[in-house]
Amino acid sequence: MLNGSSSSIGNALSSPFGNVLKTSVEGNEQRKYYKALTLSGITYKIEDSVLIVDVSKKMKPFVAIIRDIFEMKDGKLWLNVQWFYRPEDIENKVKNVETIGARELFYSFHKKDVPAEWIAHKCIVHFITTDIDIPNRKKHPGFIVRKMYDPNSRRLLNLNEEIYIQYLKDEINHLIEKSMRRLGITCDSLGRNHAAAADKEVTKE
């Protein structure tokens, strides 16, 4: 559920936070890049996971990672976000999609520029490999990502597949490592879960 009404989303004022990291020119527009922004008194930074709402369309909010924050010449702030697919987004594209329910999202390398005012709120996304137990919802609320969806081949791939080129593999490993630290999980070289007992489901979801 969204924190805030849809009428307030898109109308809030945003402002850059910190110094300019770099500048670039896209067509006739100069962009100034920042590491963070403030929106309705909340600071959002690069690599935060957020819920995005396009108020111009009657569609379900989507979850994304902030990859860039930039200011256009007119002073408006924009985000470059990397979004996730929900199971229902790909059910007509991938056969026999097995999911763990509404918590599951699929990672992708799909990026898009959106207005900063489309941010609804922050959210938590846990990246885990398929050999790791699903974190307990009560102890570790948030979305779960175990696989990546490739829209070109219409395939679901495990996060630890060896087919990714190196910089994409590094990107995924970085997200997994952050999640493992957050969840308090350590794994040996074989990927065995050493925190399984701590995160066993107490009650069925």
Side-chain angles (χ1 to χ4, degrees):
M1 181 174 291
L2 298 180
N3 293 335
S5 66
S6 59
S7 60
S8 65
I9 298 169
N11 295 322
L13 296 177
S14 59
S15 60
F17 185 88
N19 298 323
V20 176
L21 298 179
K22 64 178 181 178
T23 60
S24 69
V25 177
E26 301 286 338
N28 295 322
E29 289 282 353
Q30 184 183 63
R31 297 182 174 186
K32 296 180 181 179
Y33 290 81
Y34 297 87
K35 67 178 180 180
L37 65 87
T38 58
L39 179 68
S40 299
I42 300 173
T43 300
Y44 298 88
K45 62 184 185 299
I46 292 172
E47 288 198 4
D48 277 350
S49 298
V50 293
L51 201 66
I52 299 290
V53 179
D54 182 351
V55 295
S56 66
K57 299 179 180 179
K58 292 182 178 180
M59 59 185 294
K60 197 170 185 177
F62 66 90
V63 183
I65 296 176
I66 299 175
R67 288 304 182 189
D68 274 315
I69 299 168
F70 58 94
E71 183 181 35
M72 302 296 285
K73 187 177 180 180
D74 60 7
K76 291 184 178 180
L77 280 178
W78 286 72
L79 312 172
N80 179 259
V81 299
Q82 188 167 349
W83 68 17
F84 300 88
Y85 286 86
R86 298 179 186 273
E88 59 264 34
D89 295 331
I90 66 170
E91 61 185 3
N92 294 325
K93 302 172 184 177
V94 179
K95 294 181 179 179
N96 302 319
V97 178
E98 296 182 0
T99 75
I100 59 172
R103 296 182 76 190
E104 184 148 37
L105 298 173
F106 302 120
Y107 192 56
S108 81
F109 300 117
H110 183 180
K111 294 182 180 180
K112 182 178 181 179
D113 293 343
V114 300
E117 288 77 13
W118 284 10
I119 295 176
H121 56 73
K122 295 182 184 181
C123 57
I124 300 173
V125 180
H126 305 294
F127 287 78
I128 62 174
T129 52
T130 52
D131 56 298
I132 299 295
D133 291 341
I134 304 301
N136 179 275
R137 182 194 293 271
K138 291 183 178 179
K139 186 176 180 181
H140 300 291
F143 295 103
I144 304 295
V145 173
R146 302 180 301 157
K147 297 183 179 184
M148 190 278 293
Y149 174 63
D150 178 8
N152 294 320
S153 64
R154 296 191 172 189
R155 288 193 301 164
L156 281 174
L157 303 170
N158 291 333
L159 293 181
N160 55 355
E161 295 274 3
E162 292 297 325
I163 66 171
Y164 303 112
I165 56 179
Q166 191 59 49
Y167 82 92
L168 296 178
K169 185 183 296 185
D170 292 342
E171 175 183 310
I172 292 173
N173 287 340
H174 171 66
L175 294 168
I176 293 174
E177 289 168 5
K178 283 181 62 178
S179 295
M180 294 299 99
R181 290 195 297 269
R182 185 192 307 122
L183 296 168
I185 296 175
T186 56
C187 301
D188 61 22
S189 60
L190 296 178
R192 295 192 183 95
N193 181 4
H194 292 315
D199 272 348
K200 288 290 185 183
E201 295 289 351
V202 177
T203 58
K204 291 186 177 180
E205 299 178 3

